[in-house]
Amino acid sequence: MWLPARVCQDYNMNEEQTGSDDQPVVVDQTDKRSIVPFVAAAVIAIIVLIGIVAGGLLSPAEKNVTEADRLAAAVTNYIDARSRSDLRPPTGVACPGFSEESSGLGEQLGGPKSTVTIDGKGFANATVNGDRAKIDATLVVNGNPATTNWKLTRVDSAWLVCSF
């Protein structure tokens, strides 16, 4: 059988390659790799982590809360404690000696057996003067919305409902 010279060469090369399976493969290990990119990535990761920790320490989330938010929380705590307790005022949310009746809140809150919730309108007109503050709260008393004015006093860095 007659074959062109090029086909013969290809045929001969294939025979040589198939017969060379027993020979070991030589790997060129002269390629030098650097550890520098890995070290750089680790340093950048450490710097980012340090930045996150420093940011959390220098600007904690509780510093982002305004005085109006703290006043609203004090009123909310009072309303929640009032709904869970028969004591008037509930313990821990009002100044010592506070009375709902003498402060005018007793009538506005509808008496001891009324249900009181905070309306979606929430709170407005928060004013702080030193350790004393006022805030208007829109409440729903026995199904009827009403806006009430709350007076609060700061005692040991916590706002408590008071009558001053």
Side-chain angles (χ1 to χ4, degrees):
M1 175 165 146
W2 180 82
L3 295 172
R6 176 78 181 142
V7 174
C8 288
Q9 286 176 342
D10 289 344
Y11 179 75
N12 289 337
M13 289 180 70
N14 286 338
E15 279 185 4
E16 290 174 12
Q17 288 178 350
T18 57
S20 63
D21 286 342
D22 297 335
Q23 295 179 0
V25 177
V26 179
V27 178
D28 182 17
Q29 295 182 354
T30 59
D31 183 23
K32 296 195 183 218
R33 296 182 184 214
S34 175
I35 196 167
V36 173
F38 298 108
V39 172
V43 168
I44 290 172
I46 290 170
I47 290 172
V48 168
L49 286 175
I50 289 171
I52 291 170
V53 170
L57 293 174
L58 297 176
S59 180
E62 51 280 350
K63 286 188 177 182
N64 297 332
V65 178
T66 65
E67 286 298 322
D69 293 336
R70 288 187 178 100
L71 296 174
V75 172
T76 302
N77 290 341
Y78 186 90
I79 297 297
D80 289 343
R82 188 179 192 272
S83 68
R84 290 190 310 267
S85 172
D86 289 335
L87 295 174
R88 299 292 179 260
T91 56
V93 292
C95 292
F98 173 75
S99 168
E100 285 185 1
E101 288 73 30
S102 65
S103 69
L105 284 177
E107 183 180 311
Q108 293 174 344
L109 296 178
K113 300 293 182 189
S114 63
T115 57
V116 181
T117 57
I118 297 171
D119 186 58
K121 294 178 185 176
F123 302 93
N125 303 326
T127 58
V128 177
N129 186 9
D131 285 340
R132 295 183 179 213
K134 294 180 183 180
I135 190 167
D136 292 334
T138 304
L139 307 175
V140 178
V141 181
N142 295 327
N144 301 315
T147 300
T148 58
N149 184 270
W150 292 73
K151 298 174 183 171
L152 298 104
T153 300
R154 188 184 344 238
V155 177
D156 296 330
S157 73
W159 288 103
L160 301 176
V161 175
C162 294
S163 54
F164 51 84

